[in-house]
Amino acid sequence: MAVGGFAVDGPVGGFNGKITISVVITCIVAASSGLIFGYDIGISGGVTTMAPFLKKFFPSVLRKASEAKTNMYCAYDSQVLTAFTSSLYIAGLFSSLVASRLTTKLGRKNTMVLGGCTFLAGAAMNGGAANIAMLILGRILLGFGVGFTNQATPVYLSEVAPPKWRGAFNTGFQFFIGIGVVSANVINYATAKHSWGWRLSLGLAIVPAAIMTIGALLISDTPSSLVERGKLEQARKSLIKVRGIDTNVDAELAELIKSSEVAKAAQEEPFVTIFEKQYRPHLVMSIAIPFFQQVTGINIIAFYAPVLFQSVGFGSNSSLIAAIILGLVNLASILVSTGVVDRYGRRFLFIFGGTQMFICQVAVACVLAATTGVSGTKHISKGYAIVVLVLMCIYAAGFGWSWGPLSWLIPSEIFPMKIRPAGQSLSVAVNFATTFVLSQTFLTMLCHFKYGTFLFYAGWIALMTFFVVFFLPETRGIPLDSMYQVWEKHWYWRRFVQGKL
């Protein structure tokens, strides 16, 4: 296997493990934490197109959307409306930073449970909201829940999965995000015609929250987390459970204990340590990868897919169906990633997916420019609206097998144990911060940039694909405690880490 231009023959450290029934069940249960994030992504965009919801909370938006002469790009431009969506992400930003200490002190599992309970409370408040203040407060609680689970779950999966199949197991988190998105879109379609439909859509978020919370209570914590908290006997039992009862886990346990002792002996503040020179590549990746994931535009398109499709010529019901189709394509492509990520590696999927997304974004911009005019006042025909949908589906497929799952995988596997929770927290915080800015500005950007919005995202996709080509080493199959070698052998990053990690 090539790693940063150097050959590495198989996993280093010898702790390869094997796929057992226990590790599969454990990882599926843990990955189900993605349900709550996906459900929220999918539900908010559909709810904001429901007339009863807009009539109760955003009547000015409903009036603007009903005006026949309104610029198609500007119908839903409302800062209060976008605050309903984006408030979750500013809350998630703060909670993800707090989650670093929680995952260290309480463990990965308990942090996931806490996130599920907080999300459940937010879902109940949103479903029973009587005013905008209750809506926003509910969204903030949802944000805290998502912040906790998004920080803890990818780390959990990377620490439990055998190194050889770590990529496949970690994509499970993105797969459940996809399931959540599709489920939310289907529910929105079923409830859209009813005056109380928006309450049911928002309130049903308690279902995925309950599923993942109960599931998290039933699984054990990761061996790394148990060692970190001094629970060595439980760590041994956890290792035997996930690696198989006939596997000798002594060497792997000893390596975990050694890494933990080194981290504790240093007595360093993780959020200070991560800024040291030898961790420069880790810091850059923890910021760049989640930032680039969001400037692909995928989550913004997922939030506002019904709004977007309604803007480009679909009716209300047709726009919700289009959003379901988009979600199903994304879900199927995540399965493709699961099957090939540990065979062809991370870099190949990043580059291939990035190229695919770039072409589709440019094509969407060209179609909209040609059919709606510079002003955006021309009505797009149904045929061209379908072309836009097809292009967006190809784009979603490219994201689903590249930047979707891999942006959670890479930050969760590159950090040494002593800064792993801090690194993952920083990564999730950057993700939420970028999402907040983009979601708060997307509808205004769509109104002013019009079709140029898609060229804006295409430019970022081109930049981040070049970044992967030159700066991201291959991490396929490398045990977590041997990950230092990919930096030492990389043409650029070795100047920071050689002889220091």
Side-chain angles (χ1 to χ4, degrees), residues 39 43-44 46-47 50 52-53 57 122-129 135 183-208:
Y39 188 89
I43 213 71
S44 55
V47 165
M50 296 182 184
F53 176 81
F57 298 107
M125 180 168 289
N126 269 180
L135 272 183
S183 301
N185 286 330
V186 171
I187 290 171
N188 278 338
Y189 178 74
T191 62
K193 296 180 180 179
H194 303 282
S195 60
W196 43 263
W198 65 270
R199 289 195 183 276
L200 185 60
S201 290
L202 295 176
L204 279 177
I206 64 174
V207 176

Coordinates of all heavy atoms in Angstrom, one line a residue, residues 39 43-44 46-47 50 52-53 57 122-129 135 183-208:
Y39 N -31.8 13.1 10.5 CA -33.3 13.5 10.6 C -33.4 15.0 10.6 O -34.3 15.5 9.9 CB -33.9 12.8 11.8 CG -35.4 13.0 11.8 CD1 -36.2 12.0 11.2 CD2 -36.0 14.1 12.4 CE1 -37.6 12.2 11.2 CE2 -37.4 14.2 12.5 CZ -38.2 13.3 11.9 OH -39.5 13.4 11.9
I43 N -35.4 17.2 7.9 CA -36.8 17.6 8.3 C -36.9 19.1 8.2 O -38.0 19.7 7.8 CB -37.1 17.2 9.8 CG1 -38.6 16.9 9.9 CG2 -36.6 18.2 10.8 CD1 -39.1 15.7 9.2
S44 N -35.8 19.9 8.5 CA -36.0 21.3 8.6 C -36.3 22.0 7.3 O -37.2 22.9 7.2 CB -34.7 22.0 9.2 OG -33.6 21.6 8.4
G46 N -37.9 20.6 4.6 CA -39.2 20.3 4.2 C -40.3 21.1 5.0 O -41.3 21.6 4.4
V47 N -40.0 21.2 6.3 CA -41.0 21.9 7.2 C -41.1 23.4 6.7 O -42.2 24.0 6.8 CB -40.6 21.8 8.6 CG1 -41.3 22.8 9.5 CG2 -40.8 20.4 9.1
M50 N -43.8 24.1 4.2 CA -45.2 23.8 4.6 C -45.9 25.1 4.9 O -45.6 25.9 5.8 CB -45.3 22.9 5.8 CG -44.7 21.5 5.5 SD -44.8 20.4 6.9 CE -44.0 19.0 6.4
P52 N -48.8 25.8 6.5 CA -49.3 26.0 7.8 C -48.2 26.4 8.8 O -48.4 27.3 9.6 CB -49.9 24.6 8.3 CG -50.2 24.0 7.0 CD -49.2 24.4 6.0
F53 N -47.0 25.9 8.6 CA -45.8 26.3 9.4 C -45.4 27.7 9.1 O -45.2 28.5 10.0 CB -44.6 25.3 9.1 CG -43.4 25.7 9.8 CD1 -43.2 25.3 11.1 CD2 -42.4 26.4 9.1 CE1 -42.0 25.7 11.8 CE2 -41.2 26.8 9.8 CZ -41.0 26.4 11.1
F57 N -45.6 30.9 11.8 CA -44.3 31.5 12.3 C -43.7 32.6 11.4 O -43.0 33.5 11.8 CB -43.3 30.4 12.6 CG -43.8 29.4 13.7 CD1 -44.1 28.2 13.3 CD2 -43.8 29.8 15.0 CE1 -44.5 27.2 14.3 CE2 -44.2 28.9 16.0 CZ -44.6 27.6 15.6
G122 N -35.2 18.5 22.9 CA -35.4 19.5 21.9 C -36.5 19.2 20.9 O -37.2 20.0 20.5
A123 N -36.5 17.9 20.6 CA -37.6 17.4 19.6 C -39.0 17.6 20.2 O -39.9 18.1 19.5 CB -37.3 15.9 19.3
A124 N -39.1 17.3 21.5 CA -40.4 17.5 22.1 C -40.8 19.0 22.2 O -42.0 19.3 21.9 CB -40.4 16.9 23.6
M125 N -39.8 19.8 22.4 CA -40.1 21.3 22.5 C -40.5 21.8 21.1 O -41.5 22.6 20.9 CB -38.9 22.0 23.0 CG -39.2 23.5 23.1 SD -37.9 24.4 24.0 CE -38.3 23.9 25.7
N126 N -39.8 21.4 20.0 CA -40.1 21.8 18.7 C -41.5 21.3 18.3 O -42.3 22.1 17.6 CB -39.1 21.3 17.7 CG -38.0 22.3 17.5 OD1 -37.0 22.0 16.7 ND2 -38.0 23.4 18.2
G127 N -41.9 20.1 18.6 CA -43.2 19.5 18.2 C -44.3 20.3 18.8 O -45.4 20.4 18.3
G128 N -44.1 20.8 20.1 CA -45.1 21.5 20.8 C -45.0 23.0 20.7 O -45.6 23.7 21.5
A129 N -44.1 23.6 19.8 CA -43.8 25.0 19.8 C -45.0 25.8 19.6 O -45.9 25.6 18.7 CB -42.8 25.3 18.7
L135 N -39.4 27.5 19.2 CA -38.8 26.9 18.0 C -37.3 27.0 18.2 O -36.5 26.0 18.0 CB -39.2 27.5 16.7 CG -40.5 27.0 16.0 CD1 -40.7 27.8 14.7 CD2 -40.4 25.5 15.8
S183 N -35.6 9.4 5.7 CA -36.8 9.2 6.6 C -37.5 10.5 6.8 O -38.8 10.6 6.7 CB -36.4 8.6 7.9 OG -35.8 7.3 7.8
A184 N -36.8 11.6 7.1 CA -37.3 12.9 7.3 C -38.1 13.4 6.1 O -39.2 13.9 6.2 CB -36.3 13.9 7.7
N185 N -37.5 13.2 4.9 CA -38.1 13.6 3.7 C -39.4 12.9 3.4 O -40.4 13.5 2.9 CB -37.1 13.5 2.5 CG -36.0 14.5 2.5 OD1 -36.2 15.6 3.0 ND2 -34.8 14.2 2.0
V186 N -39.4 11.6 3.6 CA -40.6 10.8 3.5 C -41.7 11.3 4.4 O -42.9 11.4 4.0 CB -40.3 9.3 3.7 CG1 -41.6 8.5 3.7 CG2 -39.4 8.8 2.6
I187 N -41.3 11.5 5.7 CA -42.3 12.0 6.7 C -42.9 13.4 6.2 O -44.1 13.7 6.3 CB -41.7 12.0 8.1 CG1 -41.5 10.6 8.6 CG2 -42.6 12.8 9.0 CD1 -40.7 10.5 9.8
N188 N -42.0 14.3 5.8 CA -42.4 15.6 5.3 C -43.4 15.5 4.2 O -44.4 16.2 4.1 CB -41.2 16.4 4.8 CG -40.5 17.1 6.0 OD1 -41.1 17.3 7.0 ND2 -39.2 17.4 5.8
Y189 N -43.2 14.5 3.3 CA -44.1 14.3 2.1 C -45.4 13.9 2.6 O -46.5 14.3 2.1 CB -43.5 13.3 1.1 CG -44.4 13.0 0.0 CD1 -44.6 14.0 -1.0 CD2 -45.1 11.8 -0.1 CE1 -45.4 13.7 -2.1 CE2 -45.9 11.6 -1.2 CZ -46.1 12.5 -2.2 OH -46.9 12.3 -3.2
A190 N -45.4 13.0 3.6 CA -46.7 12.4 4.1 C -47.5 13.4 4.9 O -48.7 13.3 5.0 CB -46.4 11.1 5.0
T191 N -46.8 14.3 5.6 CA -47.5 15.2 6.5 C -47.8 16.6 5.9 O -48.5 17.4 6.5 CB -46.7 15.4 7.8 OG1 -45.5 16.0 7.5 CG2 -46.5 14.1 8.5
A192 N -47.2 16.9 4.7 CA -47.2 18.2 4.2 C -48.6 18.8 4.0 O -48.9 20.0 4.0 CB -46.5 18.3 2.9
K193 N -49.6 17.9 3.7 CA -51.0 18.4 3.3 C -51.8 18.7 4.6 O -53.0 19.1 4.4 CB -51.6 17.4 2.4 CG -51.0 17.2 1.1 CD -51.7 16.1 0.2 CE -51.0 15.9 -1.1 NZ -51.7 14.9 -1.9
H194 N -51.3 18.4 5.7 CA -52.1 18.5 6.9 C -51.7 19.8 7.7 O -50.5 20.1 7.8 CB -52.0 17.3 7.8 CG -52.4 16.0 7.2 ND1 -53.7 15.6 7.0 CD2 -51.6 15.0 6.6 CE1 -53.7 14.4 6.3 NE2 -52.5 14.1 6.1
S195 N -52.7 20.4 8.3 CA -52.4 21.6 9.1 C -51.4 21.4 10.3 O -50.7 22.3 10.7 CB -53.7 22.3 9.5 OG -54.4 21.4 10.4
W196 N -51.5 20.2 10.8 CA -50.6 19.8 11.9 C -49.4 19.1 11.5 O -48.6 18.5 12.3 CB -51.4 19.0 12.9 CG -52.3 18.0 12.3 CD1 -53.6 18.1 12.0 CD2 -51.9 16.7 11.8 NE1 -54.1 16.9 11.4 CE2 -53.0 16.1 11.2 CE3 -50.7 16.0 11.8 CZ2 -53.0 14.8 10.7 CZ3 -50.6 14.7 11.2 CH2 -51.7 14.1 10.6
G197 N -49.2 18.9 10.2 CA -48.1 18.1 9.7 C -46.7 18.5 10.2 O -45.9 17.7 10.5
W198 N -46.5 19.8 10.2 CA -45.2 20.3 10.7 C -44.9 19.9 12.1 O -43.7 19.6 12.4 CB -45.1 21.8 10.5 CG -46.0 22.6 11.4 CD1 -47.3 23.0 11.1 CD2 -45.7 23.1 12.7 NE1 -47.8 23.7 12.1 CE2 -46.9 23.8 13.1 CE3 -44.6 23.0 13.6 CZ2 -47.0 24.4 14.4 CZ3 -44.7 23.6 14.8 CH2 -45.9 24.3 15.2
R199 N -45.9 19.9 13.0 CA -45.7 19.4 14.4 C -45.3 18.0 14.4 O -44.4 17.6 15.2 CB -47.0 19.6 15.2 CG -47.3 21.1 15.5 CD -48.4 21.2 16.6 NE -48.8 22.5 16.8 CZ -48.1 23.4 17.6 NH1 -47.0 23.0 18.2 NH2 -48.5 24.6 17.8
L200 N -46.0 17.1 13.6 CA -45.6 15.7 13.6 C -44.2 15.5 13.1 O -43.4 14.7 13.6 CB -46.6 15.0 12.7 CG -46.5 13.4 12.7 CD1 -46.7 12.9 14.1 CD2 -47.5 12.8 11.7
S201 N -43.9 16.2 12.0 CA -42.5 16.1 11.4 C -41.4 16.5 12.4 O -40.5 15.7 12.6 CB -42.4 17.0 10.2 OG -43.2 16.5 9.1
L202 N -41.6 17.6 13.1 CA -40.6 18.0 14.1 C -40.6 17.1 15.3 O -39.6 16.8 15.9 CB -40.9 19.5 14.5 CG -40.7 20.5 13.4 CD1 -41.1 21.9 13.9 CD2 -39.3 20.5 12.9
G203 N -41.8 16.8 15.8 CA -41.9 15.9 17.0 C -41.4 14.5 16.9 O -40.9 13.9 17.8
L204 N -41.6 14.0 15.6 CA -41.1 12.6 15.4 C -39.6 12.4 15.6 O -39.1 11.3 15.5 CB -41.6 12.1 14.1 CG -43.0 11.6 14.0 CD1 -43.4 11.2 12.6 CD2 -43.3 10.4 15.0
A205 N -38.9 13.5 15.7 CA -37.4 13.4 16.0 C -37.1 12.7 17.3 O -36.0 12.2 17.5 CB -36.8 14.8 16.0
I206 N -38.2 12.6 18.1 CA -37.9 11.8 19.4 C -37.7 10.3 19.1 O -37.1 9.6 19.9 CB -39.1 12.0 20.4 CG1 -40.4 11.4 19.8 CG2 -39.3 13.4 20.7 CD1 -41.6 11.4 20.7
V207 N -38.2 9.8 17.9 CA -38.1 8.4 17.6 C -36.6 8.0 17.4 O -36.1 7.1 18.0 CB -38.9 8.0 16.4 CG1 -38.7 6.6 16.0 CG2 -40.4 8.2 16.7
P208 N -35.9 8.7 16.4 CA -34.5 8.3 16.3 C -33.6 8.6 17.5 O -32.7 7.9 17.8 CB -34.0 9.2 15.1 CG -35.0 10.3 15.0 CD -36.3 9.7 15.4

